[in-house]
Amino acid sequence: MARTSPASIPPAPAATDRPYLVERVGEAAVVQVYADGFRDLPLREKTLIWHLAQAAIAGRDIFYDQRYAHNLEMRDVLEAVVGQEGRQPQAGPIAAVERYTKLFWINTGPYNNHTARKFVLECTPAEFRDLVHAAERRGAAFPLRDGETLDALLDRLEPFFFDPDVDPTVTSKTPPPGHDILTASANNLYVDVTSSDLIGFVEEYGLNSRLVKREGGRLVEEVYRVGEIYGAQIGAIVRHLDAAIPYATEAMAAALRALITFYTTGRRSDREAYDIAWLQDKASPVDTINGFIEVYLDARSIKGAWEALVFYVNREKTHQIQSIAANAQWFEDHMPWDARYRKAGAKGITANAIDVVIEAGDSGPITPVGINLPNDQAIRERHGSKSVSLSNVIEAYDKSTIPELRSEFSWSDEETARATKWSAFAAELTTNMHEVIGHGSGRVSEHLAVSPPEALKEQYSAIEESRADLVALYFLPEAKLAELGLFAEEDHHDIVLAEYEAYVRNALVQLRRVRQGSQIEEDHMRNRQLIAQWLMANTAAIEVRQRDGKTYYVMVDAGAFRDGVGRLLSEVMRIKAEGDYDAARALVERYGVHFDPRLRDEVVARVERLNLPSYTAFVMPRLTASRDEAGAIIDVEISYPLDLATQMLEYSAATRHTRARP
Ligand SMILES: [Zn+2]
């Protein structure tokens, strides 16, 4: 599947006179992303992007609702309180509400994006009630149901804001013994449905529906499409996409029309037609991803979470990823796995470095750094795939990262120096390889009757992300990369060391994100833990060392590392190709899920001492259209809000009219 979040630790910020790091909110850093190339685009492309950006904002509330059924009401209440407080620094209960609201926006609801765990409002219910009533006296509106008083609304929502034991986990792929992955997950993709209800049930709209158990135990698919669930938002998306078509290239216009058809019917065949049309648009300077795409939110890995991205090609940075795509067949032919799983004609692989102008839903404010689509394995094998590397997001990560995050966990000064010089470069290169030749590669067994996600269920995403990472790690030492001109041959060894060292360090440093419990939920975090722990158990590549009461994961043998990666990759490809659920589950649970909480406590203490963030959220650029008297767009200005709250309140205001009151 289809995305990479940043693993390796980027380098020190270069001297720059514009701000990247906007603020810190608890464990999160808030960073402005810049789209420098936008100003130089022709008006036609700016206008196209403007309409597509409106389509992105129009669907944002869908993902809020998918993630948690109470999210939109909770957001309305929070925004009514903080929206009127201005941007002055506050103390007391209002400070707790502002902090919670920012984390709520960053994570799209009360669940941490990386741990899937609930966080709660850190003031008393009585203090919150006072603030809400004060906001009401100032004229704020609240999402009251028919005949409902404000106090009754607050009573109803109180457990969602304050009780950590009510709906504790948004997605639970490894629930406590005796619990079911669907009922243990608080997301809104299933209502009163357990995994056993699904035995023998055939989903017609797997990707784009919510499954609800009605009275009498009957299962119903509520389809995400025009006129049905999320019909108001999808209708608005369709109108903006329609307005964009006149400004698109012919190939892109065909894809947008296919997307509108899919949003209208919701049918699988129309989604396939859209995927194919989107793949056939290989050369447009502007592109968008808009729909029910990634399946990480669903414990079953079937239901798509809504997201939208709008971006243009970054011509200067696109050489590297295009070289990898152009040589995809060479990599396919040299995969370490069984020849049965090699794709014969690695065709239709498109790749670009891009700058995002907006990301909403499942891709913002916390964004991936690389994307490869479509996720439908059958379409990928027949029609290829498209990859993007999010250049301006990667840049913003680099420029906002604190160098101590790297040095604190490096065993030696040489390791720190290599990381300073190469880890950002190596991370971007391996991200590109992960997307293009990782997710893009391989073919499944002819005996596999269902798709790999259906066969591997809740283990699928961690397995597929492992596969893509392993492909990148496996090929990094290949002389072919220097031959392609991706770097100078004399730097090759240091680049390999920098990436392998960073990968191993990350398995330790990422534990800072999971502050409760002793279990990893997020699939990319699982896959990285899996690979590092497997290498520790099965090769001599990594040593665990202690110094001054601190633990270090030290990569000591790059040859053994690479050899182990090749062996593990062969097995992971076999698991995917054969749909071997038992082997997938054993591998993920043994190496990817559990960790020692004392080790995590040590890592957390080390990052706290240095005040290092655990994850990063991004503020998007703001677009402003100017129009002539007839209403036609005559220019689109780009600016940078440098403020999360301002942007989130603007986005929420823009969709208020599509919100149906219950
Ligand atoms: Zn991926």
Side-chain angles (χ1 to χ4, degrees), residues 251-266:
M252 187 180 185
L256 292 174
R257 279 192 286 267
L259 177 56
I260 289 171
T261 302
F262 172 55
Y263 269 138
T264 306
T265 69

PDB file of all heavy atoms in Angstrom, residues 251-266:
ATOM      1  N   ALA A 251      -5.908  14.009 -20.717  1.00  0.00           N
ATOM      2  CA  ALA A 251      -5.789  12.755 -19.949  1.00  0.00           C
ATOM      3  C   ALA A 251      -6.303  12.953 -18.525  1.00  0.00           C
ATOM      4  O   ALA A 251      -6.975  12.087 -17.963  1.00  0.00           O
ATOM      5  CB  ALA A 251      -4.334  12.291 -19.929  1.00  0.00           C
ATOM      6  N   MET A 252      -6.004  14.102 -17.952  1.00  0.00           N
ATOM      7  CA  MET A 252      -6.450  14.333 -16.590  1.00  0.00           C
ATOM      8  C   MET A 252      -7.962  14.542 -16.546  1.00  0.00           C
ATOM      9  O   MET A 252      -8.635  14.063 -15.621  1.00  0.00           O
ATOM     10  CB  MET A 252      -5.740  15.549 -15.997  1.00  0.00           C
ATOM     11  CG  MET A 252      -6.065  15.723 -14.526  1.00  0.00           C
ATOM     12  SD  MET A 252      -5.220  17.154 -13.828  1.00  0.00           S
ATOM     13  CE  MET A 252      -5.692  16.975 -12.106  1.00  0.00           C
ATOM     14  N   ALA A 253      -8.493  15.225 -17.548  1.00  0.00           N
ATOM     15  CA  ALA A 253      -9.940  15.434 -17.603  1.00  0.00           C
ATOM     16  C   ALA A 253     -10.669  14.092 -17.677  1.00  0.00           C
ATOM     17  O   ALA A 253     -11.700  13.892 -17.022  1.00  0.00           O
ATOM     18  CB  ALA A 253     -10.304  16.314 -18.799  1.00  0.00           C
ATOM     19  N   ALA A 254     -10.096  13.149 -18.435  1.00  0.00           N
ATOM     20  CA  ALA A 254     -10.715  11.823 -18.534  1.00  0.00           C
ATOM     21  C   ALA A 254     -10.720  11.144 -17.162  1.00  0.00           C
ATOM     22  O   ALA A 254     -11.705  10.507 -16.768  1.00  0.00           O
ATOM     23  CB  ALA A 254      -9.963  10.965 -19.560  1.00  0.00           C
ATOM     24  N   ALA A 255      -9.616  11.296 -16.428  1.00  0.00           N
ATOM     25  CA  ALA A 255      -9.542  10.691 -15.092  1.00  0.00           C
ATOM     26  C   ALA A 255     -10.548  11.358 -14.150  1.00  0.00           C
ATOM     27  O   ALA A 255     -11.225  10.678 -13.375  1.00  0.00           O
ATOM     28  CB  ALA A 255      -8.125  10.807 -14.541  1.00  0.00           C
ATOM     29  N   LEU A 256     -10.657  12.677 -14.222  1.00  0.00           N
ATOM     30  CA  LEU A 256     -11.601  13.376 -13.333  1.00  0.00           C
ATOM     31  C   LEU A 256     -13.039  12.975 -13.643  1.00  0.00           C
ATOM     32  O   LEU A 256     -13.851  12.783 -12.729  1.00  0.00           O
ATOM     33  CB  LEU A 256     -11.432  14.901 -13.459  1.00  0.00           C
ATOM     34  CG  LEU A 256     -10.112  15.470 -12.915  1.00  0.00           C
ATOM     35  CD1 LEU A 256     -10.018  16.967 -13.229  1.00  0.00           C
ATOM     36  CD2 LEU A 256      -9.953  15.227 -11.420  1.00  0.00           C
ATOM     37  N   ARG A 257     -13.348  12.818 -14.928  1.00  0.00           N
ATOM     38  CA  ARG A 257     -14.705  12.377 -15.280  1.00  0.00           C
ATOM     39  C   ARG A 257     -14.980  10.970 -14.752  1.00  0.00           C
ATOM     40  O   ARG A 257     -16.068  10.678 -14.243  1.00  0.00           O
ATOM     41  CB  ARG A 257     -14.907  12.438 -16.803  1.00  0.00           C
ATOM     42  CG  ARG A 257     -15.248  13.847 -17.310  1.00  0.00           C
ATOM     43  CD  ARG A 257     -15.714  13.809 -18.760  1.00  0.00           C
ATOM     44  NE  ARG A 257     -14.576  13.584 -19.646  1.00  0.00           N
ATOM     45  CZ  ARG A 257     -13.860  14.568 -20.223  1.00  0.00           C
ATOM     46  NH1 ARG A 257     -14.193  15.839 -20.030  1.00  0.00           N
ATOM     47  NH2 ARG A 257     -12.836  14.288 -20.990  1.00  0.00           N
ATOM     48  N   ALA A 258     -13.960  10.102 -14.833  1.00  0.00           N
ATOM     49  CA  ALA A 258     -14.128   8.732 -14.312  1.00  0.00           C
ATOM     50  C   ALA A 258     -14.312   8.757 -12.797  1.00  0.00           C
ATOM     51  O   ALA A 258     -15.092   7.977 -12.236  1.00  0.00           O
ATOM     52  CB  ALA A 258     -12.917   7.868 -14.692  1.00  0.00           C
ATOM     53  N   LEU A 259     -13.611   9.682 -12.136  1.00  0.00           N
ATOM     54  CA  LEU A 259     -13.745   9.783 -10.680  1.00  0.00           C
ATOM     55  C   LEU A 259     -15.153  10.251 -10.310  1.00  0.00           C
ATOM     56  O   LEU A 259     -15.766   9.730  -9.365  1.00  0.00           O
ATOM     57  CB  LEU A 259     -12.689  10.753 -10.126  1.00  0.00           C
ATOM     58  CG  LEU A 259     -12.721  11.024  -8.622  1.00  0.00           C
ATOM     59  CD1 LEU A 259     -12.627   9.730  -7.803  1.00  0.00           C
ATOM     60  CD2 LEU A 259     -11.578  11.979  -8.231  1.00  0.00           C
ATOM     61  N   ILE A 260     -15.678  11.195 -11.077  1.00  0.00           N
ATOM     62  CA  ILE A 260     -17.045  11.672 -10.815  1.00  0.00           C
ATOM     63  C   ILE A 260     -18.047  10.525 -10.988  1.00  0.00           C
ATOM     64  O   ILE A 260     -18.969  10.356 -10.173  1.00  0.00           O
ATOM     65  CB  ILE A 260     -17.382  12.872 -11.742  1.00  0.00           C
ATOM     66  CG1 ILE A 260     -16.570  14.103 -11.293  1.00  0.00           C
ATOM     67  CG2 ILE A 260     -18.877  13.167 -11.739  1.00  0.00           C
ATOM     68  CD1 ILE A 260     -16.639  15.277 -12.250  1.00  0.00           C
ATOM     69  N   THR A 261     -17.839   9.731 -12.030  1.00  0.00           N
ATOM     70  CA  THR A 261     -18.727   8.573 -12.227  1.00  0.00           C
ATOM     71  C   THR A 261     -18.666   7.629 -11.029  1.00  0.00           C
ATOM     72  O   THR A 261     -19.697   7.169 -10.517  1.00  0.00           O
ATOM     73  CB  THR A 261     -18.339   7.814 -13.513  1.00  0.00           C
ATOM     74  OG1 THR A 261     -18.430   8.720 -14.606  1.00  0.00           O
ATOM     75  CG2 THR A 261     -19.250   6.617 -13.755  1.00  0.00           C
ATOM     76  N   PHE A 262     -17.453   7.376 -10.549  1.00  0.00           N
ATOM     77  CA  PHE A 262     -17.316   6.479  -9.392  1.00  0.00           C
ATOM     78  C   PHE A 262     -17.977   7.068  -8.147  1.00  0.00           C
ATOM     79  O   PHE A 262     -18.695   6.381  -7.419  1.00  0.00           O
ATOM     80  CB  PHE A 262     -15.841   6.180  -9.115  1.00  0.00           C
ATOM     81  CG  PHE A 262     -15.636   5.433  -7.823  1.00  0.00           C
ATOM     82  CD1 PHE A 262     -16.298   4.235  -7.581  1.00  0.00           C
ATOM     83  CD2 PHE A 262     -14.796   5.941  -6.837  1.00  0.00           C
ATOM     84  CE1 PHE A 262     -16.118   3.551  -6.377  1.00  0.00           C
ATOM     85  CE2 PHE A 262     -14.623   5.261  -5.630  1.00  0.00           C
ATOM     86  CZ  PHE A 262     -15.284   4.070  -5.405  1.00  0.00           C
ATOM     87  N   TYR A 263     -17.783   8.356  -7.914  1.00  0.00           N
ATOM     88  CA  TYR A 263     -18.422   8.989  -6.759  1.00  0.00           C
ATOM     89  C   TYR A 263     -19.955   8.938  -6.885  1.00  0.00           C
ATOM     90  O   TYR A 263     -20.664   8.927  -5.885  1.00  0.00           O
ATOM     91  CB  TYR A 263     -17.982  10.449  -6.631  1.00  0.00           C
ATOM     92  CG  TYR A 263     -16.755  10.681  -5.770  1.00  0.00           C
ATOM     93  CD1 TYR A 263     -15.762  11.576  -6.176  1.00  0.00           C
ATOM     94  CD2 TYR A 263     -16.602  10.055  -4.538  1.00  0.00           C
ATOM     95  CE1 TYR A 263     -14.653  11.825  -5.382  1.00  0.00           C
ATOM     96  CE2 TYR A 263     -15.488  10.297  -3.749  1.00  0.00           C
ATOM     97  CZ  TYR A 263     -14.522  11.186  -4.165  1.00  0.00           C
ATOM     98  OH  TYR A 263     -13.439  11.432  -3.371  1.00  0.00           O
ATOM     99  N   THR A 264     -20.435   8.894  -8.114  1.00  0.00           N
ATOM    100  CA  THR A 264     -21.879   8.882  -8.327  1.00  0.00           C
ATOM    101  C   THR A 264     -22.468   7.489  -8.113  1.00  0.00           C
ATOM    102  O   THR A 264     -23.488   7.334  -7.443  1.00  0.00           O
ATOM    103  CB  THR A 264     -22.198   9.389  -9.757  1.00  0.00           C
ATOM    104  OG1 THR A 264     -21.562  10.663  -9.929  1.00  0.00           O
ATOM    105  CG2 THR A 264     -23.696   9.550  -9.960  1.00  0.00           C
ATOM    106  N   THR A 265     -21.804   6.468  -8.671  1.00  0.00           N
ATOM    107  CA  THR A 265     -22.371   5.115  -8.576  1.00  0.00           C
ATOM    108  C   THR A 265     -21.829   4.330  -7.386  1.00  0.00           C
ATOM    109  O   THR A 265     -22.506   3.431  -6.888  1.00  0.00           O
ATOM    110  CB  THR A 265     -22.037   4.291  -9.832  1.00  0.00           C
ATOM    111  OG1 THR A 265     -20.629   4.009  -9.839  1.00  0.00           O
ATOM    112  CG2 THR A 265     -22.414   5.022 -11.105  1.00  0.00           C
ATOM    113  N   GLY A 266     -20.584   4.608  -7.008  1.00  0.00           N
ATOM    114  CA  GLY A 266     -19.946   3.833  -5.949  1.00  0.00           C
ATOM    115  C   GLY A 266     -19.549   2.433  -6.387  1.00  0.00           C
ATOM    116  O   GLY A 266     -19.054   1.654  -5.583  1.00  0.00           O
TER     117      GLY A 266
END
